[in-house]
Amino acid sequence: MTTWIDGHFIAGDVALDFANTVFRRTPEQGSDLLDSTESLASWFAHAGLPAGGTLAEARELRSLFWRIFDAQSEGADLPIDALGNLLLAARSDAVAVDADGIPSALSGVGALPTLALRALRLALKPPSRPVRTCDRCGWFFLDTSRGRRRRWCSMQTCGNQAKAERYRGRDHGVLKTSTRS
Ligand SMILES: [Zn+2]
């Protein structure tokens, strides 16, 4: 079972955080952090939402999120079939939407539909801070940096690892040069 920490919730939007429930989303779809119904329930608890839905439903919804947010972060048109399925997933009697357009779940039954509504909100009314993917792990985040140039989900993890790799790359370069001479 996954122990969720604040480091799993760095995206700036709960729908993106939900999309980021894989350890390494790209390039090879790393290990799935939504590995059990218990992990799903505790994810909702950490996100401050009522828990509900099955693991299969959650993963299916998440795969829709990947397609929508991948397109968004690439500046491409949204895949219309995924958007249609997201609308279907959002349909529920157990959700409420306030005057500001913020959805919430009235019970566990409305948990996944609420996430679907949050994703639709992000898809149809994109914030001024663009949706980006981490260069290293593929996690999504809202780019709140001043220059809109943020490249990593987190400087503590991917940012530092990317730096370390660059240094190692530099060492290799030196080695290559010295063996050649
Ligand atoms: Zn990352």
Side-chain angles (χ1 to χ4, degrees):
M1 182 183 146
T2 303
T3 303
W4 302 102
I5 57 167
D6 290 345
H8 291 118
F9 292 79
I10 50 85
D13 187 287
V14 73
L16 298 177
D17 286 329
F18 188 67
N20 291 347
T21 51
V22 278
F23 168 60
R24 201 185 167 123
R25 198 177 68 86
T26 57
E28 71 286 329
Q29 306 262 308
S31 49
D32 194 344
L33 298 172
L34 278 188
D35 54 4
S36 64
T37 313
E38 291 75 31
S39 293
L40 177 63
S42 64
W43 184 88
F44 277 119
H46 203 108
L49 301 168
T54 67
L55 190 58
E57 287 166 343
R59 285 177 172 165
E60 201 180 321
L61 185 64
R62 189 180 56 181
S63 66
L64 291 178
F65 285 18
W66 289 342
R67 292 190 56 210
I68 299 278
F69 298 140
D70 271 333
Q72 215 169 10
S73 68
E74 288 159 14
D77 285 355
L78 306 186
I80 214 71
D81 61 317
L83 200 61
N85 286 331
L86 202 53
L87 284 164
L88 290 175
R91 186 174 174 180
S92 170
D93 292 333
V95 297
V97 181
D98 71 13
D100 293 323
I102 308 294
S104 58
L106 301 176
S107 70
V109 181
L112 290 174
T114 297
L115 283 179
L117 282 167
R118 290 294 297 253
L120 280 166
R121 189 180 155 81
L122 208 53
L124 299 177
K125 193 176 180 297
S128 53
R129 307 165 296 167
V131 172
R132 294 213 190 289
T133 55
C134 175
D135 277 1
R136 210 182 126 77
C137 75
W139 270 19
F140 299 101
F141 57 86
L142 293 179
D143 188 355
T144 54
S145 68
R146 209 187 298 168
R148 304 280 190 268
R149 293 261 174 89
R150 184 172 148 194
R151 293 177 58 195
W152 298 296
C153 60
S154 148
M155 203 54 221
Q156 279 76 46
T157 56
C158 286
N160 282 335
Q161 281 164 28
K163 262 194 203 163
E165 273 161 21
R166 263 208 311 280
Y167 280 119
R168 277 201 294 276
R170 215 173 284 169
D171 288 347
H172 288 155
V174 169
L175 271 173
K176 261 182 216 159
T177 318
S178 56
T179 43
R180 235 180 261 151
S181 61

